[in-house]
Amino acid sequence: MLKSLQGFFADFNKKADRNPDRIFAKFNGEALTFATLNKQSATFAAELRRKGVQRGDRVAVMMRNSRLSLALLFGIARSGAIWVPVNTHQKGEGLRYILDHSKPRLLVCDQELLPSVVDCHAGIRSEAVVTVGQPYDRRSLETVLQKELAFADVRIEADDLFAIMYTSGTTGRPKGVLVTHGMLRLAGEAARILTAMKPGDVFFVWEPLFHIGGAQLITLPIIEDVTLAMVDRFSASSFWSQVRDAGATHIHYLGGILQILLKKPESDLDRQHLVRIAWGGGCPMDVWPKFRDRFGVEMRECYGMTEASSITTCNIEGVVGSVGKPMPWYTVDVVDERGNRIAPGSRGEIVVRSLLEGSLFKGYLDNQEATDKALVGGVLHTGDSGTLDIEGNLWLHGRITDSVRCKGENVSAWEVEHVAAGHPAVEDCAMIGVTADIGEQDIKLFVKAKKGKTIEPEHLSGWLAERLASYQNPRYIEVVGEFERTPSQRIMKHLLPTDLNNCWDRMATQQSTPA
């Protein structure tokens, strides 16, 4: 086990000096060497100083993956500034909150996203904005990186802040997780264990770097002789051709990515690739063997959160449906509402203890209440529901808060959604709780139909009644054309409407049926 946390940037410099022509990453096939990345990141660090950004200042970045992304992040890191990644889908009040809450000294923003920044009325000055996507503008990032400026790196310790990463969450305001340089390095070390990576491997990177699942990958070419094959965004239609062209040995998944890929028509090319391992989080038990057998890859499931250096447990033993066992620097327990450990097989809250100082986050930015709720006596209370089996494998049941209290029973959204997703006409679904006429809450289910299929709510309700307990069967069903999603394709439940104007009501149907 690691005895102490390390940062990642000192090792980057050593590798860039030792092997400058080695390829760090390719973006849409265009190679980026250690030497080029070293030069460009030094130039951006110098530009940050010229603009008054000092060590400890925050630099917000709202841009999609591009050939400039890595130079930008490494420039921020070597300057001692703190990266504030901003989801490119943010707009309005949500965007204003993040920008005003994080108080960045500078904002780097894709030109096409600038209207969203202006319209949200955040308190950031126009002269503090650097745009991306205007190569002939003297103020643009492209113009800046064409220079070659020297920069004397500041000394970075593992405990220094690398980023403030805002969790998307499903309810309430996003929380800014304080992520250190050591935590990001540890995420890379965890990925090394999970993926069994070796020299010469190629990691396909579709996930945006503003998500921890993407950010954790930037350390991999530093700690091992692997290459990142980056693309600007996820595309189901292009995914496997991009993977083949890159010679990728590893693919990463989150959210509904696997299901989306499985929905594509089967092809003789399904196994025409070099991928050994598909790794990530959120693979349903029934999807696991389907994806493995169709595409001929080994599945490596994990569990974690930004607050615990991204990866807490990993399944390298192939126990289908489990998220595996703790990383060597963590212990994982399942506890009851009083914080007492419960027996194997019993469901409770997942809590994480660290065996390595600094592997858990320091807290949430300017949110002591949320910090105190998450970190109790140095133990991370995840808010996730889980079970430990007698072999020590962890089984994840979803968020504790992602449930509805209905007819005196706690109804897990995962349980209802998992059943509803099995209906032959349902492509995707999401469950929320709404205010009940009498009692606690009623269940409202949103469903999206598969292409060429039609969903009749009354029929679906009857179908669910045969597969769910009576208290689990949704009272309300609303058919939608599409869901709003996070970059990792998770449904943004907090945006789903709680009104009952456009939905089918099972109780109203029953009341109108003649005796």
Side-chain angles (χ1 to χ4, degrees):
M1 190 187 89
L2 294 173
K3 294 183 179 179
S4 63
L5 277 187
Q6 300 175 3
F8 65 90
F9 204 79
D11 287 339
F12 167 79
N13 282 333
K14 292 176 185 176
K15 201 161 187 177
D17 291 340
R18 187 172 64 248
N19 198 352
D21 294 330
R22 177 168 183 80
I23 296 175
F24 187 100
K26 291 184 178 181
F27 184 79
N28 288 339
E30 181 181 351
L32 177 68
T33 65
F34 272 80
T36 299
L37 182 53
N38 192 27
K39 180 181 68 175
Q40 290 183 338
S41 61
T43 295
F44 188 65
E47 180 70 8
L48 289 175
R49 284 290 187 270
R50 191 186 72 80
K51 289 183 173 295
V53 177
Q54 301 299 317
R55 181 179 188 137
D57 286 341
R58 299 159 191 171
V59 179
V61 179
M62 187 178 181
M63 58 184 288
R64 297 185 176 91
N65 289 2
S66 79
R67 62 182 179 83
L68 307 178
S69 298
L70 293 172
L72 182 72
L73 298 193
F74 279 67
I76 294 171
R78 72 192 305 166
S79 75
I82 300 168
W83 173 42
V84 182
V86 181
N87 188 323
T88 56
H89 297 281
Q90 284 283 359
K91 60 179 65 175
E93 174 62 19
L95 177 57
R96 185 204 62 76
Y97 176 78
I98 290 174
L99 292 178
D100 285 349
H101 187 253
S102 62
K103 300 179 177 64
R105 185 71 178 265
L106 193 74
L107 168 65
V108 183
C109 176
D110 281 346
Q111 178 64 28
E112 63 186 270
L113 300 175
L114 191 57
S116 294
V117 174
V118 174
D119 293 344
C120 81
H121 302 294
I124 188 165
R125 299 171 291 109
S126 59
E127 58 268 28
V129 178
V130 175
T131 56
V132 186
Q134 290 185 303
Y136 303 111
D137 187 326
R138 62 181 178 84
R139 298 169 298 178
S140 72
L141 183 62
E142 291 92 333
T143 302
V144 169
L145 294 182
Q146 286 174 5
K147 307 172 187 178
E148 189 168 345
L149 305 177
F151 184 78
D153 291 348
V154 301
R155 182 177 176 84
I156 302 294
E157 305 291 347
D159 197 46
D160 290 332
L161 277 187
F162 169 72
I164 301 169
M165 307 191 80
Y166 282 84
T167 58
S168 56
T170 54
T171 59
R173 295 284 196 184
K175 300 186 291 290
V177 182
L178 303 178
V179 178
T180 66
H181 282 255
M183 288 173 65
L184 193 70
R185 170 63 179 266
L186 194 62
E189 297 291 349
R192 182 207 293 269
I193 294 172
L194 174 61
T195 65
M197 66 181 180
K198 59 186 180 182
D201 281 342
V202 178
F203 281 69
F204 185 67
V205 183
W206 60 267
E207 189 158 4
L209 297 181
F210 56 73
H211 188 283
I212 187 62
Q216 66 187 353
L217 301 177
I218 70 173
T219 66
L220 300 190
I222 300 172
I223 65 177
E224 185 57 86
D225 288 337
V226 302
T227 303
L228 305 182
M230 303 177 65
V231 294
D232 46 2
R233 68 189 71 193
F234 172 79
S235 168
S237 59
S238 303
F239 184 86
W240 285 111
S241 62
Q242 291 173 324
V243 167
R244 283 190 290 270
D245 291 345
T249 57
H250 291 72
I251 57 174
H252 186 233
Y253 61 83
L254 276 178
I257 296 301
L258 298 179
Q259 295 92 317
I260 291 171
L261 293 174
L262 279 172
K263 284 181 170 63
K264 303 298 293 183
E266 293 190 24
S267 165
D268 293 338
L269 296 176
D270 282 349
R271 290 189 172 219
Q272 300 300 308
H273 56 74
L274 300 178
V275 176
R276 300 195 315 272
I277 291 175
W279 64 287
C283 177
M285 185 181 294
D286 58 330
V287 170
W288 183 314
K290 292 177 184 176
F291 197 89
R292 177 196 63 202
D293 296 345
R294 174 173 167 181
F295 297 107
V297 300
E298 181 181 349
M299 307 298 292
R300 292 283 186 102
E301 179 81 351
C302 65
Y303 162 74
M305 54 200 305
T306 308
E307 291 89 335
S309 302
S310 184
I311 300 175
T312 303
T313 70
C314 67
N315 184 345
I316 60 177
E317 298 175 353
V319 181
V320 176
S322 168
V323 294
K325 298 176 180 177
M327 287 293 167
W329 42 86
Y330 291 127
T331 61
V332 171
D333 290 305
V334 175
V335 301
D336 60 21
E337 293 178 354
R338 296 182 178 180
N340 299 316
R341 293 175 183 169
I342 56 180
S346 299
R347 184 177 299 195
E349 182 183 13
I350 300 169
V351 297
V352 182
R353 291 175 172 84
S354 172
L355 303 175
L356 180 64
E357 185 176 354
S359 63
L360 296 179
F361 79 131
K362 295 181 175 183
Y364 299 109
L365 177 66
D366 297 334
N367 193 339
Q368 193 60 47
E369 181 181 356
T371 299
D372 292 342
K373 184 177 180 181
L375 288 173
V376 181
V379 178
L380 176 62
H381 287 248
T382 65
D384 289 328
S385 174
T387 301
L388 283 170
D389 64 23
I390 58 174
E391 302 296 330
N393 295 299
L394 181 66
W395 299 77
L396 183 64
H397 304 304
R399 295 292 292 172
I400 291 174
T401 54
D402 195 8
S403 62
V404 174
R405 185 75 174 173
C406 183
K407 296 182 174 62
E409 299 283 349
N410 287 318
V411 179
S412 163
W414 183 89
E415 291 175 311
V416 174
E417 292 163 357
H418 184 70
V419 173
H423 188 278
V426 173
E427 177 173 309
D428 214 344
C429 59
M431 184 200 101
I432 65 170
V434 295
T435 303
D437 297 329
I438 301 174
E440 298 140 319
Q441 290 177 292
D442 281 322
I443 299 170
K444 183 176 181 181
L445 181 69
F446 297 81
V447 290
K448 175 188 175 183
K450 292 179 179 177
K451 187 175 181 179
K453 300 283 188 178
T454 300
I455 297 175
E456 295 294 336
E458 187 168 2
H459 166 78
L460 175 60
S461 180
W463 187 88
L464 291 172
E466 297 175 359
R467 294 162 173 81
L468 293 170
S470 59
Y471 63 84
Q472 293 177 315
N473 195 12
R475 173 175 176 176
Y476 303 104
I477 296 177
E478 181 169 338
V479 180
V480 298
E482 190 51 85
F483 289 104
E484 292 210 47
R485 300 176 183 270
T486 66
S488 58
Q489 299 302 303
R490 289 188 175 92
I491 295 171
M492 301 174 72
K493 288 192 175 182
H494 63 292
L495 298 182
L496 295 173
T498 57
D499 69 79
L500 308 175
N501 298 327
N502 299 310
C503 59
W504 175 84
D505 181 355
R506 174 165 51 84
M507 297 300 294
T509 302
Q510 291 174 351
Q511 292 169 5
S512 63
T513 302

